[in-house]
Amino acid sequence: MDIKKVNIEGNTLEIRNLVIEYVSDDEVVKAVNNVNIIIGSGKTLGLVGETGAGKTTTALSILNLVPGPQGKIVSGEVLLEGKNVLTMSEHELEELRGDKVAMIFQDPMTSLNPVLTVGDQIAEGLEIHRKISKKEALKQAKEMLELVGIPADRAGEYPYQFSGGMKQRVVIAIALACSPDLLIADEPTTALDVTIQAQVLLLINKLKKKYHMSMLMITHDLGIVAEVCDEVSVVYAGHIIEHGTLEDIFDNLRHPYTKGLFDALPNIEARRSELKPIKGLMPDPTNLPSGCPFHPRCDYVMDVCTKVLPENKWLSDTHRVQCHLYKDTNNSML
């Protein structure tokens, strides 16, 4: 694993050399390709990239929930506070999910059970993991509703009686009920309008600090990253092609793909300037290009890019890039 210059003590999560494929009768989808991730205690990592880049599949591996039988973890380790999730028994995984690790899914409309009250859905995890009575669990569930800004007397209502933003608050209450060490937020504001998005992000940030949780924020929205993340990993075709602190990525970005993401953003200060979309499309994961997977779309492509997958180059103690443009820490092409 390429983790030089990184202090791995006291980390909540370490993913090492993770490779995940989806296999069918006639093709192999290479979803995650040698991914390495570290999240320190109390820190938030943003996983950024286009749809189909492998972000959600990486997140599902943390709970050992990569959908089978097609989904297959080919190699690698997922260490949660030093314990490898991929070698845990089903009983150990049941105790882990919702307790040590919880996940907020991107669509609250389909995340909730329509035939159970929201109070019962929050209380369920508390009963299982805290070994308390249903009465006590429901009491704590009402307290969680209050914490996310929903009156406790609505605990007896069903999901259809809540708006989209309120449903997402319920999902957050379910995820945080057992005070997890790691919260995975998979595009938690995608299905919400802009005003509600801001409220939900503010709530997540507030509760993360309250419980001193570590968090993995999966998103394609750089604005969300700027608001909630300490570090950023940019994902392309299952590879982490650039990683650094928020300052590294926003003020000193290096990979041509990362540059393309920022160039494609509208500029409020120059409203008449045209957007610069990245040319081409994401590669077919069943037939990835040789060499660097970004080379067919790259403005800086060289002959070596078409043949050899670049290694990680460390530009500082916190900033690394997977690109042939960089030979050492003094090389700066972009």
Side-chain angles (χ1 to χ4, degrees), residues 288-325:
L288 291 176
S290 59
C292 173
F294 186 63
H295 85 255
R297 306 173 72 186
C298 184
D299 292 332
Y300 304 86
V301 63
M302 302 177 290
D303 187 55
V304 67
C305 304
T306 66
K307 300 172 183 176
V308 181
L309 180 69
E311 297 179 355
N312 280 315
K313 307 295 193 310
W314 286 89
L315 307 179
S316 72
D317 288 351
T318 57
H319 193 183
R320 73 176 189 261
V321 63
Q322 192 179 56
C323 182
H324 286 300
L325 290 172

Side-chain angles (χ1 to χ4, degrees), residues 134-201:
K134 185 169 184 177
K135 181 179 179 181
E136 178 60 26
L138 193 55
K139 177 186 173 185
Q140 292 185 26
K142 290 179 178 179
E143 292 172 358
M144 285 303 305
L145 281 176
E146 292 279 0
L147 195 62
V148 298
I150 298 175
D153 59 13
R154 299 198 66 181
E157 296 181 12
Y158 292 86
Y160 78 89
Q161 296 173 279
F162 292 80
S163 67
M166 297 287 267
K167 283 178 185 168
Q168 192 63 297
R169 287 172 181 264
V170 172
V171 171
I172 291 169
I174 293 171
L176 299 184
C178 293
S179 306
D181 297 324
L182 176 65
L183 177 66
I184 303 169
D186 186 3
E187 309 236 20
T189 61
T190 296
L192 308 176
D193 65 60
V194 176
T195 305
I196 304 302
Q197 280 186 22
Q199 294 175 4
V200 168
L201 286 175

Side-chain angles (χ1 to χ4, degrees), residues 199-216:
Q199 294 175 4
V200 168
L201 286 175
L202 191 65
L203 176 63
I204 290 174
N205 246 348
K206 175 185 172 184
L207 295 176
K208 173 186 168 291
K209 291 173 182 175
K210 177 181 175 69
Y211 291 108
H212 193 67
M213 293 180 296
S214 302
M215 183 163 71
L216 178 65

Side-chain angles (χ1 to χ4, degrees), residues 83-134:
K83 297 179 181 177
N84 190 355
V85 174
L86 304 183
T87 60
M88 288 183 177
S89 67
E90 194 57 41
H91 175 70
E92 289 173 313
L93 289 170
E94 286 174 0
E95 295 200 333
L96 172 83
R97 297 167 184 154
D99 186 17
K100 291 286 187 182
V101 184
M103 191 163 181
I104 301 172
F105 294 93
Q106 59 181 289
D107 187 1
M109 315 301 174
T110 57
S111 298
L112 296 170
N113 189 328
V115 299
L116 293 178
T117 66
V118 297
D120 284 341
Q121 292 186 61
I122 299 169
E124 183 179 18
L126 289 163
E127 285 185 74
I128 293 170
H129 296 296
R130 294 293 176 261
K131 305 294 190 283
I132 58 178
S133 68
K134 185 169 184 177

